[in-house]
Amino acid sequence: MLGVIRRRVACKGNPALNLEQGIRVIASRAFSSTAKEMTVRDALNSALDEEMSADPKVFLMGEEVGEYQGAYKITKGLLDKYGPERVVDTPITEAGFAGIGVGAAYYGLRPVIEFMTFNFSMQAIDHIINSAAKSNYMSAGQISVPIVFRGPNGAAAGVGAQHSQCYAAWFGACPGLKVLVPYSAEDARGLLKAAIRDPDPVVFLENELLYGESFPVSAEVLDSSFCLPIGKAKIEREGKDVTITTFSKMVGYALQAAEILANEGISAEVINLRSIRPLDRSTINASVRKTNRLVTVEEGFPQHGVGAEICASVVEESFGYLDAPVERISGADVPMPYAANLERLAVPQVDDIVRAVKRACYRSSSLAATA
Amino acid sequence: MACSATAKILQPLSIRSAEKSQSCSKMLSPSSFLGSTPLPKKLFSVNKTISPLARRSATIVAVSSDVVKEKKLKSTQNLLITKEEGLVLYEDMYLGRAFEDMCAQMYYRGKMFGFVHLYNGQEAVSTGFIKLLKKEDCVVSTYRDHVHALSKGVPARQVMSELFGKTTGCCRGQGGSMHMFSKEHNVLGGFAFIGEGIPVATGAAFTSKYKREVFKEDCDEVTLAFFGDGTCNNGQFFECLNMATLWKLPIVFVVENNLWAIGMSHLRSTSDPQIWKKGPAFGMPGVHVDGMDVLKVREVAKEAVSRARRGEGPTLVECETYRFRGHSLADPDELRDPAEKAHYATRDPITALKKYVIENKLASEAELKAIEKKIDEEVEEAVEFADKSPVPERSQLLENVFADPKGFGIGPDGKYRCEDPKFTQGTAQV
């Protein structure tokens, strides 16, 4: 049943956004009557288009980015506009073309390398970590690597274990990389533009199920010089009882959970991390010091995950402010199963978030929390 | 490389083979090698139609220079090098040798630490190729990269300081022996993972081509990728051979086949040990050359580099060479046959060049001795400089992780966000 609700909500865009009354004046511009809506796919496409036209050093490389218009149609129309020298279709050689991108970045260009999914980045992870992330340090600042690795990350629907892993935690552990995780269309546009302009290697983790979702965008977002700062989280919904930190698709789930909780008298603050590395510890800690409770939500595996790092950071810096143990929600500690009902059990759902928040608020009826 | 249809198959690579057996393979006419003048740089027009890539037949070219072996005294017109070139080559090879020997001494005295991989015996390959390059051309190497950096122009004192881990090193002591980077001299590393440098080199070559096609610059920069025989069994090598030929990138893949990958013999690990054959399988010419003879290497290199500069695409050059020392200074080197080592010691490239230069009256013994003395002093001075240099300060630990100082990215005005005085600690919203 929850699956049905989720799909209906997804089609309409996210109604939870309408309730951000407490947020400062700036955001209210987004809800004027002339607010446009944009899908994440269009946001990414427009960001790539604008950055490629602004700087001839930017080029795209990846499997199916050109003639196929992109495996998920993110790069639609770019081959016709910029030609095959700038939108390069590659053979199936992740290690090879990731390395070629790094070499091109060393020598002066600004590549945007697409992985069809980030699961395939494991074939190229040597280049992402060893020749991209570490190079500025090893060369003592002589050689910076202005490269962006982008692609869908995390679980889709029914694609099985080898296509469903979330890589935020793995890449987030590496110094020298910036890791960005957009949620809405505004995040996608702003963060991708920031990533392309950035002089350092950026891992840009999108989400396949979010590509088709529409979000309202203001005129400022549509401006071609719009870009968001890296390393700053966004408070999507203000609250005073509990802090929920999350990223990517789980932001939508957390906002829905916040709605449900509001009806039960719990006011949840939802933080959209936007950036896993650098992690915005100051925002998270400020929020926890205000609400005194923390629930972290992510889709990836639990051990050594993003939530683990956030919990450690909060315990280190705001221990005295915590009124309850930190709650950590993540995907199940198993490779992703195929069967639809098992897959639903392996990924956090809205009611998992609601139950965890209630546990943190000592409102649940039983102490044993089962998925 | 010219495509000759009638290629002769070389004998399978045998360790103890005499030099003569290789010289009997098909040779190109002397005019394409001897005294080759660099071809005029062409402007590449974007509208040039690229014909469908025809599979080239296997081409073997072993350079025809028998001069070193056969002691024929020729008049200077038939010599492969002039006096100046000869002295430059000699100086560069001797610098490589003296530097590496000094590294070994310093390591055993405890001044150098970690992994140190020395290049003794292979100097002909580095000198033969790199001395033909311009400053803008790129070199990408593996962990055995000290001499590549030196040949490309990185000062010996900076390399020595880097090895000592001092802050005056070419990478401020943060890279180490295996990670020599120099933006000024376009040395793009120094990679510890074998095979990692090959795609990076291919990317630098891709940039040259991109500059020609998209920026419409008159760019003929070439990239050289150096790697060993062990790397030729790695997947990334084949991925890059494919893409380099597919996109006709200006790159030369230089295989320093020293027959051993740590303790794994090339013959034990490779189904077909003739590496040059793997080039034609992907549509590029494959060349085998005697890597202990700097003049032969140089002739092949001239052709391969000018081919790349003209836009004709990549070449795979297999240099048969040998490392006189173990894989690294920690390697006891017990698996290699002493007879094999003795055989290759007689083919020392520096002695061979010295003999050539003296016999062809290009320079006197005294001049060569003067060069040796100068280099010895330079290496000594490099050690003193490195010794006296300070170790990095504590604050250097956290520097240079990002090019962007605080990691907040670049704002719409193009400047670093952290430098914007209005950038507050509030969460960023639209």
Side-chain angles (χ1 to χ4, degrees):
Chain A
M1 182 193 81
L2 210 55
V4 171
I5 294 176
R6 183 164 27 123
R7 248 174 272 127
R8 242 189 322 134
V9 162
C11 294
K12 282 198 302 181
N14 204 327
L17 285 174
N18 290 328
L19 290 168
E20 295 167 283
Q21 303 299 343
I23 296 180
R24 283 167 249 158
V25 180
I26 301 169
S28 64
R29 249 191 276 148
F31 304 102
S32 64
S33 51
T34 53
K36 260 196 69 179
E37 286 222 336
M38 194 182 217
T39 59
V40 171
R41 178 177 284 119
D42 288 337
L44 293 167
N45 186 289
S46 63
L48 287 169
D49 195 352
E50 287 164 20
E51 291 303 306
M52 285 182 79
S53 77
D55 185 352
K57 296 201 290 288
V58 178
F59 71 95
L60 304 184
M61 189 179 246
E63 293 158 10
E64 311 296 0
V65 292
E67 293 190 4
Y68 197 77
Q69 311 297 323
Y72 297 98
K73 305 294 181 259
I74 305 294
T75 52
K76 185 168 180 174
L78 297 177
L79 174 67
D80 289 332
K81 209 167 164 187
Y82 297 104
E85 296 92 11
R86 294 185 69 191
V87 180
V88 184
D89 275 326
T90 62
I92 306 177
T93 48
E94 272 76 14
F97 68 73
I100 288 184
V102 173
Y106 275 19
Y107 204 34
L109 299 182
R110 306 190 83 97
V112 178
I113 304 291
E114 174 172 313
F115 290 117
M116 201 181 278
T117 77
F118 259 91
N119 300 276
F120 306 159
S121 75
M122 291 201 283
Q123 300 219 326
I125 204 163
D126 173 35
H127 281 290
I128 300 175
I129 311 288
N130 277 321
S131 52
K134 297 182 182 172
S135 291
N136 198 62
Y137 194 80
M138 289 198 293
S139 70
Q142 291 177 76
I143 296 188
S144 80
V145 191
I147 192 171
V148 177
F149 297 103
R150 52 159 291 271
N153 175 54
V159 291
Q162 294 187 349
H163 281 74
S164 305
Q165 189 168 336
C166 174
Y167 289 86
W170 284 19
F171 288 124
C174 297
L177 277 185
K178 295 180 182 171
V179 182
L180 300 177
V181 277
Y183 162 62
S184 60
E186 148 201 336
D187 290 354
R189 249 183 84 80
L191 292 176
L192 186 55
K193 279 163 155 313
I196 294 175
R197 294 178 195 189
D198 198 271
D200 292 309
V202 180
V203 170
F204 194 82
L205 304 173
E206 304 157 2
N207 188 296
E208 192 204 330
L209 297 176
L210 286 177
Y211 283 153
E213 277 199 35
S214 282
F215 296 89
V217 284
S218 67
E220 187 182 339
V221 173
L222 294 171
D223 184 55
S224 68
S225 66
F226 170 69
C227 62
L228 289 172
I230 294 180
K232 286 291 192 186
K234 176 179 180 182
I235 299 184
E236 294 279 353
R237 180 192 172 109
E238 284 206 358
K240 52 184 181 43
D241 292 331
V242 63
T243 298
I244 304 178
T245 61
T246 177
F247 59 93
S248 192
K249 188 159 103 231
M250 294 288 129
V251 175
Y253 287 25
L255 290 169
Q256 288 172 51
E259 260 310 287
I260 296 175
L261 290 163
N263 293 337
E264 304 193 17
I266 299 179
S267 154
E269 176 148 302
V270 177
I271 299 185
N272 172 4
L273 289 172
R274 280 183 171 172
S275 164
I276 302 289
R277 183 177 262 271
L279 192 60
D280 193 356
R281 293 169 213 273
S282 53
T283 301
I284 298 170
N285 278 286
S287 173
V288 171
R289 287 177 188 212
K290 182 173 82 170
T291 64
N292 308 123
R293 290 163 215 277
L294 175 69
V295 173
T296 70
V297 183
E298 62 181 309
E299 217 183 14
F301 299 137
Q303 191 168 341
H304 312 300
V306 175
E309 174 64 26
I310 294 176
C311 291
S313 170
V314 164
V315 163
E316 282 167 8
E317 294 180 30
S318 313
F319 182 66
Y321 293 82
L322 283 172
D323 285 347
V326 292
E327 289 279 343
R328 191 172 50 145
I329 301 180
S330 64
D333 200 13
V334 294
M336 185 69 67
Y338 168 67
N341 64 326
L342 291 181
E343 189 179 30
R344 249 194 318 275
L345 290 176
V347 175
Q349 306 295 335
V350 178
D351 52 347
D352 294 321
I353 304 176
V354 170
R355 273 204 303 275
V357 168
K358 286 183 178 170
R359 282 200 303 273
C361 296
Y362 298 123
R363 305 260 195 105
S364 61
S365 47
S366 76
L367 285 173
T370 52
Chain B
M1 292 298 165
C3 299
S4 30
T6 57
K8 185 141 182 255
I9 307 292
L10 284 183
Q11 308 301 323
L13 207 67
S14 99
I15 298 167
R16 294 178 194 27
S17 67
E19 193 41 33
K20 296 246 189 296
S21 66
Q22 264 114 21
S23 61
C24 63
S25 55
K26 180 109 170 67
M27 295 169 207
L28 284 187
S29 61
S31 56
S32 37
F33 281 156
L34 296 174
S36 49
T37 51
L39 290 171
K41 287 198 308 189
K42 287 186 198 159
L43 281 170
F44 291 98
S45 65
V46 179
N47 296 328
K48 180 167 99 171
T49 50
I50 300 174
S51 58
L53 198 65
R55 277 184 64 90
R56 302 198 190 150
S57 53
T59 317
I60 318 153
V61 177
V63 182
S64 58
S65 134
D66 292 329
V67 184
V68 177
K69 292 186 325 289
E70 292 182 10
K71 289 200 214 178
K72 272 184 255 174
L73 284 177
K74 300 191 172 161
S75 65
T76 38
Q77 279 110 338
N78 288 352
L79 290 179
L80 292 165
I81 46 171
T82 64
K83 173 178 177 166
E84 291 75 34
E85 288 170 354
L87 293 180
V88 163
L89 295 179
Y90 189 78
E91 182 173 336
D92 192 55
M93 289 209 290
Y94 192 80
L95 172 63
R97 182 66 62 86
F99 189 91
E100 298 291 71
D101 283 339
M102 184 60 79
C103 283
Q105 268 193 51
M106 292 297 119
Y107 189 85
Y108 294 128
R109 284 194 211 166
K111 303 257 175 90
M112 239 180 253
F113 37 89
F115 286 130
V116 180
H117 306 85
L118 298 182
Y119 201 72
N120 297 47
Q122 300 181 194
E123 296 88 0
V125 179
S126 172
T127 302
F129 269 94
I130 299 182
K131 282 305 172 197
L132 292 171
L133 296 182
K134 304 184 294 201
K135 199 167 184 191
E136 298 81 32
D137 295 322
C138 291
V139 166
V140 180
S141 176
T142 57
Y143 44 73
R144 208 178 291 284
D145 57 351
H146 307 166
V147 179
H148 294 135
L150 291 171
S151 291
K152 193 67 175 49
V154 182
R157 43 162 46 186
Q158 279 185 20
V159 181
M160 191 63 83
S161 292
E162 181 64 30
L163 294 170
F164 280 32
K166 301 290 174 87
T167 196
T168 46
C170 56
C171 298
R172 295 172 80 199
Q174 289 174 203
S177 163
M178 299 185 284
H179 305 294
M180 294 286 165
F181 289 87
S182 166
K183 190 171 172 80
E184 186 195 337
H185 298 279
N186 286 307
V187 177
L188 300 182
F191 290 99
F193 278 57
I194 57 146
E196 190 178 349
I198 306 178
V200 172
T202 314
F206 180 89
T207 307
S208 299
K209 179 163 169 280
Y210 190 91
K211 283 185 191 172
R212 277 204 306 271
E213 292 183 348
V214 177
F215 299 164
K216 313 279 195 279
E217 283 172 19
D218 185 17
C219 174
D220 65 348
E221 288 148 25
V222 158
T223 305
L224 298 186
F226 290 92
F227 48 94
D229 43 289
T231 312
C232 295
N233 294 326
N234 189 270
Q236 291 182 78
F237 170 60
F238 299 109
E239 291 185 11
C240 290
L241 288 184
N242 177 40
M243 287 193 273
T245 317
L246 186 65
W247 296 326
K248 272 205 172 159
L249 300 180
I251 183 173
V252 183
F253 296 102
V254 183
V255 184
E256 295 167 326
N257 182 355
N258 57 19
L259 305 172
W260 291 89
I262 307 189
M264 188 63 163
S265 146
H266 178 57
L267 301 174
R268 265 182 78 207
S269 66
T270 314
S271 53
D272 184 352
Q274 296 181 293
I275 300 174
W276 57 266
K277 275 201 218 160
K278 300 183 190 189
F282 287 91
M284 73 169 82
V287 186
H288 176 274
V289 68
D290 173 12
M292 303 303 271
D293 181 339
V294 66
L295 300 174
K296 288 188 188 170
V297 172
R298 190 179 153 86
E299 290 306 309
V300 169
K302 270 190 208 165
E303 185 55 43
V305 169
S306 57
R307 208 181 99 86
R309 282 204 212 284
R310 288 193 300 266
E312 291 171 20
T315 315
L316 176 66
V317 180
E318 179 188 352
C319 305
E320 186 199 334
T321 178
Y322 200 75
R323 53 171 162 84
F324 293 156
R325 290 184 182 265
H327 163 74
S328 72
L329 287 173
D331 174 19
D333 196 16
E334 286 158 352
L335 287 174
R336 300 196 296 176
D337 188 349
E340 176 190 272
K341 293 191 223 182
H343 167 76
Y344 277 96
T346 63
R347 292 169 56 188
D348 186 335
I350 297 181
T351 353
L353 181 65
K354 189 167 184 176
K355 200 161 140 200
Y356 178 85
V357 161
I358 290 178
E359 281 172 3
N360 288 288
K361 303 219 186 341
L362 286 174
S364 65
E365 180 101 28
E367 281 171 320
L368 296 179
K369 277 257 177 305
I371 291 180
E372 288 173 21
K373 183 158 177 292
K374 176 177 131 199
I375 296 294
D376 285 335
E377 280 170 11
E378 189 179 326
V379 173
E380 293 265 351
E381 194 267 328
V383 172
E384 270 177 42
F385 174 77
D387 247 342
K388 292 206 192 80
S389 299
V391 287
E393 295 186 5
R394 286 185 60 155
S395 56
Q396 198 180 310
L397 178 67
L398 299 177
E399 284 174 12
N400 295 131
V401 178
F402 286 140
D404 160 20
K406 298 277 189 192
F408 290 129
I410 297 199
D413 56 357
K415 298 214 234 12
Y416 289 125
R417 275 206 141 89
C418 54
E419 289 167 6
D420 177 0
K422 291 191 290 207
F423 184 60
T424 64
Q425 286 295 351
T427 60
Q429 313 210 32
V430 175

mmCIF file of all heavy atoms in Angstrom, chain B residues 157-177:
data_model
loop_
_atom_site.group_PDB
_atom_site.id
_atom_site.type_symbol
_atom_site.label_atom_id
_atom_site.label_comp_id
_atom_site.label_asym_id
_atom_site.label_seq_id
_atom_site.Cartn_x
_atom_site.Cartn_y
_atom_site.Cartn_z
ATOM 1 N N ARG B 157 68.676 17.978 -8.347
ATOM 2 C CA ARG B 157 68.577 18.277 -6.929
ATOM 3 C C ARG B 157 67.133 18.195 -6.456
ATOM 4 O O ARG B 157 66.869 17.791 -5.319
ATOM 5 C CB ARG B 157 69.168 19.648 -6.618
ATOM 6 C CG ARG B 157 68.795 20.718 -7.611
ATOM 7 C CD ARG B 157 68.954 22.099 -7.208
ATOM 8 N NE ARG B 157 70.217 22.436 -6.557
ATOM 9 C CZ ARG B 157 70.435 23.638 -6.030
ATOM 10 N NH1 ARG B 157 69.499 24.562 -6.066
ATOM 11 N NH2 ARG B 157 71.581 23.903 -5.453
ATOM 12 N N GLN B 158 66.181 18.542 -7.327
ATOM 13 C CA GLN B 158 64.773 18.450 -6.917
ATOM 14 C C GLN B 158 64.358 16.991 -6.788
ATOM 15 O O GLN B 158 63.602 16.626 -5.884
ATOM 16 C CB GLN B 158 63.873 19.127 -7.940
ATOM 17 C CG GLN B 158 63.810 20.617 -7.783
ATOM 18 C CD GLN B 158 62.803 21.219 -8.739
ATOM 19 O OE1 GLN B 158 61.914 20.539 -9.235
ATOM 20 N NE2 GLN B 158 62.956 22.496 -8.995
ATOM 21 N N VAL B 159 64.832 16.146 -7.696
ATOM 22 C CA VAL B 159 64.457 14.733 -7.610
ATOM 23 C C VAL B 159 65.081 14.115 -6.365
ATOM 24 O O VAL B 159 64.432 13.373 -5.627
ATOM 25 C CB VAL B 159 64.889 13.977 -8.887
ATOM 26 C CG1 VAL B 159 64.489 12.522 -8.805
ATOM 27 C CG2 VAL B 159 64.266 14.598 -10.115
ATOM 28 N N MET B 160 66.328 14.452 -6.101
ATOM 29 C CA MET B 160 66.991 13.876 -4.916
ATOM 30 C C MET B 160 66.311 14.342 -3.634
ATOM 31 O O MET B 160 66.091 13.558 -2.720
ATOM 32 C CB MET B 160 68.470 14.277 -4.934
ATOM 33 C CG MET B 160 69.324 13.549 -3.923
ATOM 34 S SD MET B 160 69.411 11.766 -4.163
ATOM 35 C CE MET B 160 70.684 11.645 -5.405
ATOM 36 N N SER B 161 65.940 15.614 -3.581
ATOM 37 C CA SER B 161 65.237 16.107 -2.384
ATOM 38 C C SER B 161 63.918 15.396 -2.195
ATOM 39 O O SER B 161 63.503 15.098 -1.084
ATOM 40 C CB SER B 161 64.903 17.582 -2.509
ATOM 41 O OG SER B 161 66.030 18.343 -2.490
ATOM 42 N N GLU B 162 63.237 15.146 -3.293
ATOM 43 C CA GLU B 162 61.953 14.453 -3.207
ATOM 44 C C GLU B 162 62.161 13.070 -2.626
ATOM 45 O O GLU B 162 61.393 12.618 -1.784
ATOM 46 C CB GLU B 162 61.333 14.358 -4.606
ATOM 47 C CG GLU B 162 59.977 13.685 -4.651
ATOM 48 C CD GLU B 162 58.918 14.447 -3.890
ATOM 49 O OE1 GLU B 162 59.022 15.679 -3.813
ATOM 50 O OE2 GLU B 162 57.992 13.802 -3.373
ATOM 51 N N LEU B 163 63.239 12.407 -3.050
ATOM 52 C CA LEU B 163 63.504 11.058 -2.551
ATOM 53 C C LEU B 163 63.862 11.078 -1.075
ATOM 54 O O LEU B 163 63.565 10.135 -0.341
ATOM 55 C CB LEU B 163 64.630 10.419 -3.354
ATOM 56 C CG LEU B 163 64.276 10.149 -4.816
ATOM 57 C CD1 LEU B 163 65.511 9.752 -5.595
ATOM 58 C CD2 LEU B 163 63.254 9.038 -4.900
ATOM 59 N N PHE B 164 64.520 12.164 -0.639
ATOM 60 C CA PHE B 164 64.843 12.262 0.776
ATOM 61 C C PHE B 164 63.622 12.667 1.599
ATOM 62 O O PHE B 164 63.695 12.704 2.818
ATOM 63 C CB PHE B 164 65.940 13.314 0.995
ATOM 64 C CG PHE B 164 67.329 12.840 0.701
ATOM 65 C CD1 PHE B 164 67.590 11.904 -0.277
ATOM 66 C CD2 PHE B 164 68.399 13.362 1.406
ATOM 67 C CE1 PHE B 164 68.880 11.488 -0.548
ATOM 68 C CE2 PHE B 164 69.707 12.947 1.148
ATOM 69 C CZ PHE B 164 69.950 12.008 0.165
ATOM 70 N N GLY B 165 62.551 13.074 0.916
ATOM 71 C CA GLY B 165 61.355 13.504 1.636
ATOM 72 C C GLY B 165 61.469 14.903 2.184
ATOM 73 O O GLY B 165 60.888 15.224 3.216
ATOM 74 N N LYS B 166 62.188 15.769 1.474
ATOM 75 C CA LYS B 166 62.365 17.128 1.956
ATOM 76 C C LYS B 166 61.428 18.069 1.240
ATOM 77 O O LYS B 166 60.943 17.783 0.144
ATOM 78 C CB LYS B 166 63.806 17.594 1.697
ATOM 79 C CG LYS B 166 64.859 16.742 2.361
ATOM 80 C CD LYS B 166 64.828 16.917 3.860
ATOM 81 C CE LYS B 166 65.759 15.967 4.548
ATOM 82 N NZ LYS B 166 67.117 16.475 4.667
ATOM 83 N N THR B 167 61.225 19.227 1.798
ATOM 84 C CA THR B 167 60.225 20.123 1.260
ATOM 85 C C THR B 167 60.677 20.801 -0.026
ATOM 86 O O THR B 167 59.863 21.385 -0.743
ATOM 87 C CB THR B 167 59.824 21.148 2.336
ATOM 88 O OG1 THR B 167 58.626 21.774 1.970
ATOM 89 C CG2 THR B 167 60.887 22.171 2.542
ATOM 90 N N THR B 168 61.960 20.707 -0.382
ATOM 91 C CA THR B 168 62.417 21.303 -1.639
ATOM 92 C C THR B 168 62.308 20.335 -2.804
ATOM 93 O O THR B 168 62.781 20.609 -3.898
ATOM 94 C CB THR B 168 63.891 21.713 -1.526
ATOM 95 O OG1 THR B 168 64.597 20.630 -0.924
ATOM 96 C CG2 THR B 168 64.049 22.958 -0.693
ATOM 97 N N GLY B 169 61.734 19.182 -2.566
ATOM 98 C CA GLY B 169 61.584 18.213 -3.647
ATOM 99 C C GLY B 169 60.597 18.675 -4.698
ATOM 100 O O GLY B 169 59.838 19.620 -4.476
ATOM 101 N N CYS B 170 60.582 17.970 -5.826
ATOM 102 C CA CYS B 170 59.701 18.424 -6.910
ATOM 103 C C CYS B 170 58.231 18.327 -6.523
ATOM 104 O O CYS B 170 57.397 19.010 -7.104
ATOM 105 C CB CYS B 170 59.978 17.645 -8.195
ATOM 106 S SG CYS B 170 59.842 15.871 -8.031
ATOM 107 N N CYS B 171 57.908 17.503 -5.567
ATOM 108 C CA CYS B 171 56.538 17.441 -5.070
ATOM 109 C C CYS B 171 56.484 17.777 -3.584
ATOM 110 O O CYS B 171 55.628 17.279 -2.852
ATOM 111 C CB CYS B 171 55.933 16.053 -5.283
ATOM 112 S SG CYS B 171 55.824 15.604 -7.000
ATOM 113 N N ARG B 172 57.447 18.620 -3.147
ATOM 114 C CA ARG B 172 57.521 19.036 -1.734
ATOM 115 C C ARG B 172 57.583 17.860 -0.777
ATOM 116 O O ARG B 172 57.165 17.954 0.357
ATOM 117 C CB ARG B 172 56.316 19.914 -1.350
ATOM 118 C CG ARG B 172 56.278 21.241 -2.071
ATOM 119 C CD ARG B 172 54.990 21.969 -1.794
ATOM 120 N NE ARG B 172 55.020 22.646 -0.516
ATOM 121 C CZ ARG B 172 53.942 23.048 0.153
ATOM 122 N NH1 ARG B 172 52.745 22.817 -0.327
ATOM 123 N NH2 ARG B 172 54.056 23.671 1.298
ATOM 124 N N GLY B 173 58.106 16.750 -1.222
ATOM 125 C CA GLY B 173 58.222 15.605 -0.326
ATOM 126 C C GLY B 173 56.947 14.825 -0.148
ATOM 127 O O GLY B 173 56.894 13.873 0.620
ATOM 128 N N GLN B 174 55.883 15.225 -0.843
ATOM 129 C CA GLN B 174 54.604 14.543 -0.638
ATOM 130 C C GLN B 174 54.401 13.377 -1.582
ATOM 131 O O GLN B 174 53.509 12.580 -1.395
ATOM 132 C CB GLN B 174 53.451 15.542 -0.803
ATOM 133 C CG GLN B 174 53.398 16.510 0.349
ATOM 134 C CD GLN B 174 52.349 17.607 0.159
ATOM 135 O OE1 GLN B 174 52.459 18.652 0.743
ATOM 136 N NE2 GLN B 174 51.358 17.361 -0.648
ATOM 137 N N GLY B 175 55.196 13.278 -2.624
ATOM 138 C CA GLY B 175 54.987 12.216 -3.583
ATOM 139 C C GLY B 175 55.868 11.016 -3.297
ATOM 140 O O GLY B 175 55.392 9.927 -3.036
ATOM 141 N N GLY B 176 57.179 11.251 -3.351
ATOM 142 C CA GLY B 176 58.087 10.156 -3.098
ATOM 143 C C GLY B 176 58.655 9.576 -4.375
ATOM 144 O O GLY B 176 58.436 10.085 -5.466
ATOM 145 N N SER B 177 59.348 8.474 -4.218
ATOM 146 C CA SER B 177 60.060 7.872 -5.343
ATOM 147 C C SER B 177 59.137 7.509 -6.495
ATOM 148 O O SER B 177 59.475 7.675 -7.662
ATOM 149 C CB SER B 177 60.777 6.606 -4.849
ATOM 150 O OG SER B 177 61.136 5.793 -5.903
#
